[in-house]
Amino acid sequence: LADYGRMGVTLPGELAQHARRLPTMLKITLEAGRQYRPRFYDGTVTLFRAADTGGETEETLLQAWQAAAAHVEAISIRGSHHSMVLDAENARLLAARIEECMRRVDHAVDMV
């Protein structure tokens, strides 16, 4: 923020507030991750994964999830971890796939 000020760039108030909170948010997130101990889930986990894995194989990616859940359904969304939500077209595809999964769950609940 100081560097932007020296360059004469004024950030919108909301963005400046967000930037000031980043160090605290990062600390809280890291601590939560360090303390979290997941329990095994006996159902199906749907994993929305980026098609561009940066070299990580699907097998490697799924191993961690398979250790945490009885069943893992992987759905590939084009783009990287970030661009699958930041790119408008990729985000629309992701939203459509999430909606399909939610409809499937709603239908299964209705059948019970």
Side-chain angles (χ1 to χ4, degrees), residues 11 18 20 42 59 74-75 77 81 88 91 97 99-100 104:
L11 296 176
H18 178 70
R20 280 188 208 83
D42 196 29
E59 181 180 324
I75 297 175
I77 304 296
H81 178 75
R97 296 305 303 267
E99 199 170 351
E100 288 172 21
R104 209 172 48 221

Side-chain angles (χ1 to χ4, degrees), residues 26-76:
L26 179 59
K27 181 180 176 183
I28 290 168
T29 300
L30 291 172
E31 182 61 20
R34 190 181 66 74
Q35 291 184 22
Y36 180 68
R37 300 290 177 260
R39 292 179 293 169
F40 187 80
Y41 177 60
D42 196 29
T44 299
V45 169
T46 302
L47 172 65
F48 296 92
R49 60 178 289 281
D52 178 3
T53 61
E56 185 176 35
T57 66
E58 183 162 342
E59 181 180 324
T60 302
L61 180 66
L62 291 179
Q63 280 178 342
W65 288 99
Q66 289 168 335
H71 306 283
V72 179
E73 171 191 25
I75 297 175
S76 184

